[in-house]
Amino acid sequence: CRLGELDAALDAIDKWAECGSLRSGLAVEDKNHQHQSPIPSFKWIQAQGDDDTNTTILNRRDIALTTVGDLRVFEPADVSLLRAAADKHFAQTAGQQTSRYTMQYEGNSEVHLDDLCSADPDLKLRIDRILQEKVYPLVRVAFGEDEDEPEPKGSICVYDSIFVRYNAEQAKAAGLRGASQPLHQDGGIYSVNIALNEHLDDSENGFTGGGTF
């Protein structure tokens, strides 16, 4: 094809790659949205070597980030709203898995956030607002600083989002060390994990472990 047609085709492929494969009905980033609220602060987690020599320190690289400070991605009211919707869903399905994913461990209950939002308009509005005001801006600020991987030119969107409720006792009874996800690689460019429980360091009823590999 002619050069102009090739450029147009490449632009179409770029748009499809960023949002065209979108399965989620959650809000796509509005790049014209004026962000009135602050975004959560964060720090980078670095890959570390086997020792603390200067060479090892210089070769460390950023591999993930974690939010810090008092500003949460989900406020307690948001967590309560989401957990209530999930509990209602799990009660209605009577333990039957409705997740489209086939790799599931014993003790996990999974539901796609789309399914929860389609049954609860208030939850949908709240999740969309959190995406626009906190999650999307945080991704742009954090990864826009990386010269090797510049921020996406198009709008950021959710490829898929899943709510997982873990049961450590059932997992251990099934022979697992604890509740977790099977080792996998997400299909999106960026992965965002949001804990809906306190860690043991912050609450006597909190969990231990967790994280990504």
Side-chain angles (χ1 to χ4, degrees), residues 167-180:
N167 188 310
E169 293 181 357
Q170 290 185 15
K172 290 181 178 179
L176 300 171
R177 294 182 60 185
S180 67

Side-chain angles (χ1 to χ4, degrees), residues 86-171:
D87 287 342
K88 180 179 179 180
H89 173 86
F90 293 140
Q92 291 175 340
T93 56
Q96 182 179 358
Q97 289 286 9
T98 59
S99 168
R100 294 185 288 272
Y101 295 123
T102 57
M103 293 196 311
Q104 299 176 12
Y105 278 161
E106 188 73 24
N108 292 358
S109 299
E110 302 180 359
V111 57
H112 292 267
L113 190 54
D114 269 335
D115 296 334
L116 296 181
C117 288
S118 64
D120 190 334
D122 291 337
L123 177 62
K124 172 69 163 57
L125 289 173
R126 185 59 193 155
I127 295 297
D128 285 347
R129 183 175 178 180
I130 291 172
L131 287 170
Q132 297 285 11
E133 295 186 353
K134 295 182 179 179
V135 177
Y136 293 151
L138 178 59
V139 169
R140 285 204 174 272
V141 169
F143 293 96
E145 298 174 349
D146 190 341
E147 296 180 356
D148 296 328
E149 295 185 17
E151 62 177 307
K153 295 180 180 179
S155 296
I156 303 173
C157 59
V158 176
Y159 172 71
D160 199 5
S161 180
I162 191 167
F163 177 103
V164 184
R165 184 174 67 186
Y166 298 100
N167 188 310
E169 293 181 357
Q170 290 185 15

